[in-house]
Amino acid sequence: MDSAALVRQGFATERRIGQGTLKRQGIQTTRSGQTMARIVMKFGGTSVGTTDRIKNVARRVKTEVDAGNEVAVVVSAMSGTTNQLVAWTNEIARLHDAREYDVVVASGEQVTVGLLALALQDLGVNARSWLGWQIPFRTDGIHGKARIGEIDTTLMRERFTQGQVAVVAGFQGIGPDNRITTLGRGGSDTSAVALAAALDADRCDIYTDVDGVYTTDPRITAKARKIDRITYEEMLELASQGAKVLQTRSVAMAMQHGVRVQVLSSFEDKPGTMVVDEGEIVEQQVVTGIAYSPDEAKVTLVGVPDRPGVAGAIFGSLADSAVNVDMIVQNVSQDGKSTDLTFTVGSTDLDRAHQVLEGLKGELGYSDIVSDPGVCKISVVGVGMRSQPGVAKTMFQTLAAKGINIQVISTSEIKVSVLISADYTELAVRALHTAYGLDADGDG
Ligand code: ADP
Ligand code: ASP
Ligand code: MG
């Protein structure tokens, strides 16, 4: 999209060159007559997957620079690279030292920042690369899923005044003990939003291999529809329930800091999806989107003593080992003595969860651990659900009509989730997409 289109959308704000002061007072121009904005552009793995694609990214960045904007570009590793790096760490040791895991998996982004800086220089753009520790992106010490604390943008702001483009490695930071950290898979979205917040950027454009956020993953059904505007809250739920188009933390951060995020294609020149406040959406669907998460594993602790403190001990120990627990069901005990406790964890956390639970066996005295990695969580999300009953009923009836058994259910104000066998993922998503009137050729 060109700058004029952005001005029409109300994005452009004037910046006093050299002082870095952001004046959100409407549209003004610089002395040279151009509208200026400070923008963060983020390019995902597919968008930088080959050297030709990196050159394409460089051309896009140059367009923004030529329009008079101050630009920071955040990049991921080339597609497939991080998966390969993760696989290597697992081949060496399944329960590995998370600090060394980070050293390995952060390396993919070092390649792409360097290549993109070179491609920009080749086009005559003044650009330099920045690794996480060079900026620095300060994080906590939870390796593998670190959280960003502070970002020092002093030097970057100074370089903007000299017309330099910052090419920043996504996904990585530096922990309290000066060791490399990573932000969890898909984390360069969060790097971009965090940088946009720290720089007081006018917008954060997330360029990817789809042209926006869809009613469901377009890889699952060709009937998925592009959404022009989606609320932060809905995007947060969709992301946390598995829609990988944005990392969950990036949406939470955008919501918290009021960062204007747009998801758009790095291959096509057209507007994408804006993530906005609820008040900016005129017509509200009951269900806005459907997400699925195959990266779940179900764990059942059989014969858990039915007494106070047991759940606290189990989930407290899992949390202490940085294992996130999602859905939880506890049955009422038949005999008042013991019961079964079922919950889900991310499949990459399953080995660690087992290790923690086995460590508790002596203390708790449960009889068995049964785990099932072959499950998938399907979620329907929409802020319209708050005022419209019957969403869960439609979900259960639709799945029943397809003969799909529901194993666990959980709800929030704007979401209903069910856990089903992973074998039925596509069938369930497609059936629900139709049932809620979301199909592109439907009348929803
Ligand atoms: P990147 O490498 O650019 O970060 P990702 O693979 O992380 O890209 O995210 C983009 C992918 O997200 C798309 O290719 C699409 O398959 C998937 N996706 C899942 N849910 C959705 C959705 N609701 N809308 C758009 N894309 C989605
Ligand atoms: N390269 C990292 C990953 O594959 C970060 C990202 O793509 O956002 O998870
Ligand atoms: Mg991604």
Side-chain angles (χ1 to χ4, degrees), residues 136-339:
F137 268 77
R138 290 265 164 218
T139 71
D140 63 18
I142 312 290
H143 286 270
K145 36 182 136 169
R147 282 178 180 271
I148 299 171
E150 236 175 74
I151 305 175
D152 187 349
T153 57
T154 319
L155 202 53
M156 199 178 285
R157 285 171 189 260
E158 225 173 274
R159 299 293 178 85
F160 281 153
T161 66
Q162 299 159 12
Q164 190 174 74
V165 170
V167 184
V168 178
F171 187 47
Q172 51 174 262
I174 181 160
D177 54 357
N178 281 350
R179 298 194 65 168
I180 304 290
T181 53
T182 63
L183 310 177
R185 297 306 306 272
S188 38
D189 297 329
T190 304
S191 310
V193 173
L195 187 60
L199 285 169
D200 297 318
D202 300 285
R203 46 182 231 269
C204 181
D205 289 338
I206 307 280
Y207 289 86
T208 183
D209 57 1
V210 274
D211 59 358
V213 178
Y214 278 67
T215 46
T216 193
D217 187 346
R219 285 185 211 186
I220 290 269
T221 170
K223 291 180 180 168
R225 253 200 321 222
K226 187 173 133 195
I227 303 167
D228 292 332
R229 284 164 172 255
I230 188 165
T231 66
Y232 287 109
E233 254 185 304
E234 288 168 325
M235 194 60 241
L236 189 63
E237 282 283 15
L238 283 174
S240 70
Q241 300 310 316
K244 289 202 173 135
V245 63
L246 287 177
Q247 199 201 31
T248 310
R249 278 188 196 161
S250 71
V251 188
M253 198 171 283
M255 196 164 156
Q256 196 184 345
H257 296 278
V259 176
R260 285 193 81 89
V261 172
Q262 179 176 203
V263 177
L264 69 174
S265 166
S266 61
F267 305 112
E268 288 173 281
D269 209 1
K270 58 182 187 186
T273 299
M274 289 299 311
V275 187
V276 298
D277 286 322
E278 204 171 326
E280 294 182 56
I281 294 188
V282 187
E283 228 179 296
Q284 205 55 260
Q285 301 269 359
V286 179
V287 169
T288 302
I290 301 173
Y292 67 97
S293 172
D295 308 324
E296 308 275 325
K298 186 177 72 166
V299 180
T300 301
L301 277 181
V302 183
V304 181
D306 196 12
R307 58 176 157 76
V310 170
I314 294 168
F315 296 117
S317 301
L318 289 168
D320 291 345
S321 297
V323 173
N324 289 331
V325 173
D326 182 18
M327 303 166 113
I328 304 175
V329 230
Q330 182 176 343
N331 296 332
V332 177
S333 63
Q334 295 289 337
D335 56 2
K337 287 189 191 130
S338 69
T339 180

Side-chain angles (χ1 to χ4, degrees), residues 18-35:
Q19 295 182 9
T21 38
L22 177 71
K23 291 182 28 188
R24 294 182 185 275
Q25 293 172 348
I27 302 150
Q28 292 179 41
T29 54
T30 64
R31 257 174 259 126
S32 58
Q34 287 171 320
T35 305

